[in-house]
């Protein structure tokens, strides 16, 4: 998509890229430190320099590759779904923050250290480059600008980022919301499904609610009392139910439209569509309550 | 191995936000959903249903705002304005409700009624 330079859309995409880059930034400095800690002093300085260089280079190459891959039909949809999952994982509370760093083992040689750093950065950066690729709308200039602004912040200003998110944790939630919006935009931009969305306009809205219901579920869960937390599962389930009717309408060539039913069959279909989820929801809540009671009984002895 | 996981507060961001921050993000998400609605809303459906008047009202408002084509900066601005309006309404409503409740019988602000 061509974007006018220095327009609101341009700056919005740039801001989204920087925000995604910050909230999904990997802890490169710590990985480099952990990998280089057992090396001789003269090699440590070289490992820090080349490790940082390698991490930046692999990030740039991966981002450009993602922009290219997203042009392949189907990958935009897959990327959008993956971003929704990434947003969900980003917002899920972590009880053992920092424990994952133990995975970075110290290296015995210079080449081994660089290899470990580059592989660690590639693994840590997959979600990041996917988000950036989606937010950039295919513009290489935006990606280069976003990386030029955010990479120095992440590499040399990690303490600044930590201080920012520590003072304002809402930055993470905003990042999650931006990821969800980017995921939604990627799903509806997928060339394979664009004609289908043009015919089923209400499906777009259902997808939007579904995406936000899944991505922001940890937020709702943290805010709702224990007995109402089942509703967090119920909302996406209802959206999937409604979406299934839209899909069925195109597969079986039946008319499922708001208040346009004329025959008995269409009235029945409308009835099942709008009321059929109620018994399912009641069943789901009953099963959940039963399993909770059973678990409580088992825990009690 | 996310950088933000090094902060205990950020690792549990959903539990550590202030109500103001939460309201702002909720407003931004509301604007995003509104944009999805503006994007999905098809005036021809309303026309087919016989709700032409809604096209002039609702559809007109939507196209005036061009909400379906909003970008992130517009979401943030819209969210900030919405959060500000909600906060102002909350303060006004609280002040109004407080004025309705009677003062304590021995309270200093109780006006004595002279026979």
């Amino acid at each position: 998509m061509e974007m006018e330079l220095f327009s609101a859309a341009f700056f919005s995409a740039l801001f989204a890229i920087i925000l995604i880059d910050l909230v999904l930034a990997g802890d490169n400095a710590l990985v480099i430190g952990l990998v280089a800690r057992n090396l001789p002093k003269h090699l440590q300085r070289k490992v820090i320099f080349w490790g940082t260089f390698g991490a930046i280079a692999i990030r740039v190459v991966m981002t450009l590759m993602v922009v290219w891959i997203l042009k392949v039909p189907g990958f935009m949809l897959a990327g959008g779904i993956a971003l929704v999952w990434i947003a969900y994982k980003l917002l899920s509370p972590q009880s053992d923050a920092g424990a994952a760093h133990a995975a970075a083992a110290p290296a015995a040689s210079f080449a081994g250290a660089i290899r470990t750093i580059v592989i660690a950065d590639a693994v840590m950066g997959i979600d990041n480059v996917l988000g950036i690729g989606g937010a950039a709308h295919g513009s290489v200039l935006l990606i280069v600008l976003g990386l030029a602004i955010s990479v120095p912040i992440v590499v040399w200003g990690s303490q600044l980022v930590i201080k920012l998110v520590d003072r304002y944790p809402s930055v993470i939630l905003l990042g999650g919301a931006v990821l969800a919006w980017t995921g939604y935009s990627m799903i509806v931009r997928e060339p394979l499904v664009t004609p289908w969305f043009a015919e089923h306009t209400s499906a777009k809205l259902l997808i939007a609610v579904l995406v936000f219901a899944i991505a922001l579920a940890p937020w709702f869960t943290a805010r709702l009392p224990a007995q109402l937390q089942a509703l967090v599962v119920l909302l996406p389930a209802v959206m999937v139910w409604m979406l299934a009717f839209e899909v069925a309408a195109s597969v079986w060539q039946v008319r499922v439209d708001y208040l346009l039913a004329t025959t008995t069959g269409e009235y029945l279909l409308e009835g099942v569509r709008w009321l059929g989820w109620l018994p399912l929801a009641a069943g789901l809540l009953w099963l959940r309550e039963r399993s909770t009671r059973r678990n409580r009984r088992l825990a009690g002895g | 191995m996310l950088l933000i996981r090094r902060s205990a507060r950020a690792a549990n961001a959903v539990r550590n936000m202030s109500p103001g921050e939460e309201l702002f993000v909720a407003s931004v998400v509301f604007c995003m959903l509104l944009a999805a609605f503006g994007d999905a809303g098809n005036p021809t459906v309303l026309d087919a249903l016989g709700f032409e008047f809604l096209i002039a009202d609702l559809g007109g408002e939507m196209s005036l705002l061009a909400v379906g084509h909003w970008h992130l900066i517009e979401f943030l601005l819209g969210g900030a304005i919405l959060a500000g309006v909600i906060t102002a309404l909350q303060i006004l409503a609280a002040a109004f409700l407080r004025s309705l409740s009677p003062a304590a019988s021995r309270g200093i602000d109780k006006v004595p009624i002279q026979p």
Side-chain angles (χ1 to χ4, degrees):
Chain A
M1 191 178 82
E2 281 302 314
M3 207 178 285
E4 204 179 317
L5 269 182
F6 308 117
S7 61
F10 181 85
F11 284 114
S12 292
L14 186 62
F15 184 63
I17 288 172
I18 294 169
L19 191 64
I20 290 171
D21 236 342
L22 291 182
V23 294
L24 293 180
D27 202 347
N28 297 89
L30 197 77
V31 171
I32 292 170
L34 284 173
V35 170
R37 70 182 187 269
N38 281 8
L39 290 173
K41 281 271 177 236
H42 69 281
L43 276 182
Q44 277 185 359
R45 196 179 282 268
K46 273 173 78 179
V47 164
I48 290 168
F49 176 78
W50 286 111
T52 309
F53 178 79
I56 294 171
I58 195 80
R59 181 64 57 92
V60 172
V61 170
M62 275 171 64
T63 311
L64 294 177
M65 267 174 67
V66 161
V67 172
W68 179 75
I69 287 172
L70 285 178
K71 287 178 183 159
V72 179
F75 276 83
M76 194 73 100
L77 179 69
I81 294 168
L83 273 192
V84 176
W85 178 247
I86 290 165
Y88 175 84
K89 294 296 286 177
L90 176 72
L91 298 184
S92 299
Q94 303 282 315
S95 52
D96 55 345
H101 297 307
S109 67
F110 175 73
I114 298 296
R115 195 171 52 237
T116 309
I117 291 166
V118 168
I119 291 172
D121 189 71
V123 172
M124 285 189 302
I126 290 171
D127 49 2
N128 200 323
V129 294
L130 190 59
I132 294 170
H137 297 262
S139 164
V140 177
L141 174 67
L142 267 174
I143 289 172
V144 172
L145 272 177
L147 285 172
I149 294 169
S150 52
V151 165
I153 297 172
V154 173
V155 174
W156 293 288
S158 54
Q159 286 305 317
L160 202 73
V161 176
I162 294 168
K163 268 187 191 160
L164 175 78
V165 293
D166 199 63
R167 176 71 184 84
Y168 302 107
S170 56
V171 171
I172 312 245
L173 194 61
L174 196 60
V178 170
L179 277 173
W181 178 253
T182 309
Y184 161 75
S185 312
M186 284 169 78
I187 292 170
V188 296
R189 275 198 339 248
E190 166 61 51
L192 291 178
V193 290
T194 312
W196 187 78
F197 278 125
E199 284 174 25
H200 301 81
T201 45
S202 55
K204 266 189 179 179
L205 186 60
L206 292 176
I207 294 269
V209 178
L210 178 66
V211 161
F212 280 100
I214 294 172
L216 304 181
W219 182 22
F220 311 143
T221 311
R223 282 287 160 261
L224 286 173
Q227 65 269 25
L228 291 179
Q229 282 178 1
L231 296 177
V232 174
V233 186
L234 214 55
L235 182 59
V238 172
M239 290 302 120
V240 170
W241 172 267
M242 302 294 262
L243 211 54
F245 277 82
E246 294 286 341
V247 175
S250 35
V251 172
W252 287 300
Q253 301 292 318
V254 287
R255 193 167 66 178
V256 182
D257 228 335
Y258 304 103
L259 305 174
L260 287 180
T262 46
T263 62
T264 314
E266 283 173 359
Y267 275 117
L268 268 175
L269 203 63
E270 282 292 287
V272 173
R273 183 192 197 192
W274 291 103
L275 301 172
W277 62 273
L278 282 167
L280 278 179
L284 181 77
L285 291 177
W286 179 75
L287 271 176
R288 193 178 178 278
E289 183 67 24
R290 217 179 126 181
S291 73
T292 312
R293 273 191 202 159
R294 196 171 148 219
N295 289 345
R296 215 176 289 152
R297 211 170 37 240
L298 286 172
Chain B
M1 280 210 197
L2 288 180
L3 186 60
I4 54 163
R5 298 284 185 238
R6 271 169 71 182
S7 155
R9 258 171 70 80
N12 280 305
V14 289
R15 296 197 186 111
N16 291 320
M17 279 183 299
S18 67
E21 287 177 280
E22 214 164 11
L23 178 64
F24 169 65
V25 181
S27 306
V28 171
V29 171
F30 176 77
C31 287
M32 286 174 171
L33 285 172
L34 199 66
F37 182 78
D39 193 22
N42 186 356
T44 54
V45 173
L46 294 174
D47 194 20
L49 293 173
F51 296 134
E52 308 85 40
F53 59 94
L54 277 181
I55 300 173
D57 294 348
L58 186 69
E61 297 298 329
M62 285 287 184
S63 50
L64 189 70
L65 283 170
V67 79
H69 305 285
W70 274 19
H71 303 292
L72 182 59
I73 291 174
E74 287 153 320
F75 288 141
L76 295 178
L77 286 173
I81 291 169
L82 187 61
V85 168
I86 292 172
T87 309
L89 282 176
Q90 206 177 3
I91 292 166
L92 285 174
F96 176 70
L97 289 174
R98 206 180 307 127
S99 69
L100 289 182
S101 56
S105 57
R106 302 257 174 219
I108 197 157
D109 48 348
K110 187 78 177 175
V111 181
I113 299 167
Q114 299 292 338

